[in-house]
Amino acid sequence: MPTKQQGADVPRGVFVAFEGGDGAGKSTQANTLADELTSAGFEVVRTREPGGTPAAEAIRAVVLTPDYAGLDPRAEALLFAAARSEHVSRLIAPALARGAIVICDRYVDSSIAYQGVARGLGVDVVTEINMWATGGLLPDLTVLLDVDANAGLERATDPNRLEDEPESFHAAVVEAFRQLAAAQPDRYLVISAAQSRTAIADVVLEHVRGLLAARSVL
Ligand SMILES: Nc1ncnc2c1ncn2[C@@H]1O[C@H](COP(=O)(O)OP(=O)(O)O)[C@@H](O)[C@H]1O
Ligand SMILES: [Mg+2]
């Protein structure tokens, strides 16, 4: 059997995802990192989930609006996965293929933590639908901004349907993120989100610079 051409479908860019509960500081840190790397001359694609393309943003509006309180959990999991599939195929994968740095606010781990663990659908099934949806694309680095649920919710600025869940739901999300990071320490950078914005940004930038240097793109 002929071997597949080496690297034919292997992303060449760098994919960084920010994870954590609402109010952890994901959007703040994603913006800061994107600004730093853009200033340093890199092509940066700063995006978010659910969303990132017009269709995925339309799914975001459905899945996050408080109008659909009580949305069926499986429908919720599938809508997030559907948005992600569109996002990966139309925005993230093409950006990585041309060598860009993709900085994404939330990714698959959010689905595992929220739908798999906190909603109780199961880690395995949520992982499986997301691996199918994304073709198995995972970030090179996932930055987990670790903050206790209450502290995060006090900081959170955009109200959404999931934010309205009880405290036990958010505590389960925080714990799920910690376990995901502990299970794959090579792929995660866990930072206490209780630190200042600049202290966090410095640690993230240093780590990403190390990743870029290791890839010989710096
Ligand atoms: N390290 C930090 N310390 C204190 N407040 C922060 C920190 N990072 C972000 N914030 C503030 O907390 C709020 C939520 O931050 P945001 O980046 O929107 O979180 P997320 O995207 O994770 O929900 C914003 O008002 C932001 O300015
Ligand atoms: Mg945000």
Side-chain angles (χ1 to χ4, degrees):
M1 212 164 73
T3 39
K4 211 175 198 177
Q5 195 191 331
Q6 185 83 35
D9 55 0
V10 175
R12 286 179 288 114
V14 175
F15 182 11
V16 180
F18 283 87
E19 295 282 11
D22 284 316
K26 299 178 298 297
S27 302
T28 303
Q29 294 301 328
N31 285 339
T32 304
L33 181 65
D35 290 348
E36 296 274 4
L37 294 173
T38 301
S39 302
F42 292 101
E43 183 196 349
V44 174
V45 174
R46 157 62 172 109
T47 187
R48 69 173 183 180
E49 291 214 331
T53 75
E57 291 287 337
I59 296 171
R60 177 188 182 96
V62 169
V63 84
L64 292 185
T65 176
D67 292 353
Y68 302 134
L71 181 69
D72 175 72
R74 292 184 194 194
E76 180 181 284
L78 290 166
L79 285 167
F80 280 115
R84 183 163 298 130
S85 175
E86 157 79 6
H87 190 203
V88 167
S89 66
R90 294 173 66 99
L91 186 74
I92 298 177
L96 293 174
R98 62 176 189 267
I101 299 174
V102 175
I103 299 175
C104 191
D105 190 335
R106 294 195 182 279
Y107 192 62
V108 171
D109 289 342
S110 280
S111 287
I112 296 174
Y114 284 80
Q115 282 71 51
V117 177
R119 278 281 185 245
L121 292 179
V123 168
D124 290 349
V125 71
V126 172
T127 302
E128 193 179 336
I129 61 171
N130 277 284
M131 289 305 100
W132 183 70
T134 61
L137 179 70
L138 289 174
D140 299 291
L141 172 69
T142 298
V143 180
L144 172 58
L145 296 170
D146 184 48
V147 67
D148 286 335
N150 283 338
L153 288 174
E154 272 172 27
R155 291 198 321 212
T157 47
D158 336 313
N160 66 55
R161 189 173 51 79
L162 295 175
E163 210 178 277
D164 293 340
E165 292 292 335
E167 193 185 323
S168 57
F169 180 92
H170 295 285
V173 166
V174 167
E175 188 51 33
F177 278 131
R178 287 176 183 159
Q179 287 188 14
L180 285 167
Q184 299 179 67
D186 293 350
R187 207 164 62 70
Y188 287 82
L189 172 63
V190 182
I191 305 179
S192 164
Q195 301 174 81
S196 72
R197 293 169 184 77
T198 50
I200 297 168
D202 288 349
V203 174
V204 172
L205 185 61
E206 191 186 321
H207 200 91
V208 171
R209 282 192 182 283
L211 195 67
L212 294 171
R215 299 229 170 166
S216 308
V217 296
L218 244 189

